Amino acid sequence: MPASRPLTTGTFSRRRLPAALRPGRVARLAAPAGLALLAGCAGPQSVFEGAGAEATDVAFLFWVMLVGSIAIWLFVIGLGIYATKTRPRAHSERTGLYLIIWGGGVFPVVVLGGLLIWGLAMMPELRRPANGPTIAVSGERFWWRIAYDVEGEPGAVRSLPDGGIESANELWLPLGRRTEILLGSPDVIHSFWVPAIAGKTDAIPGRVNRLVLEPTREGVYNGVCAEFCGDAHTQMGLRVVVVPQAEYDARVAALARPAAVTDDPGAALFLKNGCGACHTVRGTEADGRVGPDLTHIASRQTIAAGLLPTNVANIARFIHSTDHVKPGVEMPSFGVLPDTEIDAIAQWLGRLE
């Protein structure tokens, strides 16, 4: 039996590597992937493009902690290389003890302690009291109920207080003001997160959690539910619109008005087919509390909790095939209705600005 050939570095030389694993090939493939990852760090849902005081501070803390962790890693690995490669001879017990104490103990403790102090020093500013409006947000499968100009604690019914100006899936905030968000839920645990503005906070049944949002830049930002809550969890989004104080006040005043159009064939069909049992349209007999308030649905940028742009065609599509457009949603499909009736209802809803 022939003697086995010992393994050497030449055994795995470049010419023996598969073409896909050669360094030049790997570099060419990695470059586009790296650019794609960097591109994903931008946009209306990015934690790296802070549009809020908390998001900006936390992102800066992340970079500081990243530098600290890299410093610890380099220091410890450097000591290992020094002990095993640079000075591979046997070291005295005293030298080994120093390497362990300073490399494995003192240096990491000093760096981590500094990072801890830095992070704790940010807390008073992040938890500074609100000086803007109070808005109640209720996470419900699978959408967001929003009420402006609320007072006190949210009530037990659907986690929202009486008297608020209700909307859904689109949260308006005044620029530069610290707005207090009262979070709750009537069904399961959700997690409210607008990455570009602030960190996430849970919406828990039977309890009210508080979150302060201080936007620092105008724009439209994406929010999500960050806690798995059921089939349509990934389609439970919202839009956050940051505008100057005067524009915010005008928006809330407009939301307080009744529906723009109440005498319409589509309104009659809306009530006839039972839609008013689940939805409210102020100024009509529709006063349901199960689903979103539709009084000003046409003024929102999206429908179905951020899933589709708001237009008549998408409203009709959602009414006709709700469970197909958004599987798992609790609203039934109304495909059994004649297309003429669905179109009439959608045309009416499309005028509710």
Side-chain angles (χ1 to χ4, degrees):
M1 181 175 181
S4 60
R5 186 176 62 178
L7 293 178
T8 66
T9 54
T11 306
F12 298 100
S13 64
R14 175 173 174 172
R15 68 174 182 273
R16 300 287 299 277
L17 286 173
L21 297 180
R22 291 177 182 171
R25 175 77 171 175
V26 172
R28 287 194 294 271
L29 294 175
L35 291 175
L37 288 173
L38 290 175
C41 296
Q45 196 171 316
S46 173
V47 296
F48 296 108
E49 285 195 350
E54 180 174 325
T56 302
D57 289 346
V58 171
F60 183 68
L61 176 63
F62 164 78
W63 291 115
V64 172
M65 294 184 70
L66 179 63
V67 170
S69 62
I70 291 175
I72 293 174
W73 185 84
L74 290 175
F75 191 79
V76 173
I77 295 300
L79 285 179
I81 294 174
Y82 169 79
T84 59
K85 300 294 184 182
T86 307
R87 301 286 298 275
R89 72 181 191 281
H91 295 275
S92 67
E93 183 176 345
R94 182 188 184 91
T95 301
L97 185 61
Y98 281 159
L99 291 176
I100 293 172
I101 292 176
W102 288 96
V106 175
F107 184 76
V109 167
V110 169
V111 175
L112 293 176
L115 292 175
L116 177 61
I117 294 171
W118 181 289
L120 292 177
M122 295 172 56
M123 294 299 292
E125 177 62 23
L126 293 178
R127 295 296 173 258
R128 185 162 49 88
N131 60 3
T134 300
I135 303 173
V137 177
S138 177
E140 310 189 12
R141 295 193 304 178
F142 297 96
W143 58 285
W144 301 94
R145 189 188 300 269
I146 298 169
Y148 298 89
D149 286 354
V150 301
E151 296 181 1
E153 293 282 352
V157 180
R158 313 219 54 92
S159 299
L160 288 176
D162 296 330
I165 301 169
E166 192 166 315
S167 184
N169 301 319
E170 190 170 282
L171 175 63
W172 284 57
L173 297 174
L175 177 68
R177 301 292 301 278
R178 293 180 63 78
T179 300
E180 183 172 49
I181 306 296
L182 304 179
L183 287 168
S185 173
D187 41 50
V188 300
I189 296 176
H190 303 273
S191 186
F192 177 88
W193 189 25
V194 187
I197 296 179
K200 64 187 74 170
T201 301
D202 284 348
I204 302 174
R207 131 172 223 172
V208 176
N209 284 337
R210 284 175 163 78
L211 172 67
V212 175
L213 302 180
E214 184 181 356
T216 56
R217 191 171 72 239
E218 291 184 47
V220 180
Y221 305 96
N222 293 341
V224 297
C225 175
E227 179 82 20
F228 180 75
C229 55
D231 292 348
H233 159 70
T234 59
Q235 298 171 321
M236 186 175 169
L238 76 155
R239 295 290 185 272
V240 177
V241 184
V242 179
V243 294
Q245 181 70 52
E247 192 172 342
Y248 169 83
D249 292 339
R251 173 68 177 183
V252 174
L255 289 175
R257 301 188 190 107
V261 181
T262 56
D263 185 12
D264 187 276
L269 290 169
F270 183 88
L271 296 171
K272 172 188 172 184
N273 288 296
C275 304
C278 293
H279 298 282
T280 292
V281 179
R282 280 177 275 120
T284 73
E285 296 177 11
D287 60 356
R289 294 277 295 164
V290 177
D293 187 301
L294 303 181
T295 305
H296 299 288
I297 182 176
S299 68
R300 300 173 199 157
Q301 298 184 13
T302 64
I303 61 172
L307 191 58
L308 299 171
T310 301
N311 56 53
V312 172
N314 282 337
I315 294 174
R317 176 187 171 196
F318 191 71
I319 295 171
H320 184 276
S321 305
T322 313
D323 55 355
H324 177 73
V325 175
K326 189 171 180 176
V329 71
E330 297 184 357
M331 173 179 165
S333 295
F334 285 83
V336 295
L337 296 180
D339 289 343
T340 54
E341 292 194 10
I342 292 177
D343 290 341
I345 295 172
Q347 290 283 349
W348 173 62
L349 293 175
R351 292 196 289 272
L352 298 184
E353 296 182 349

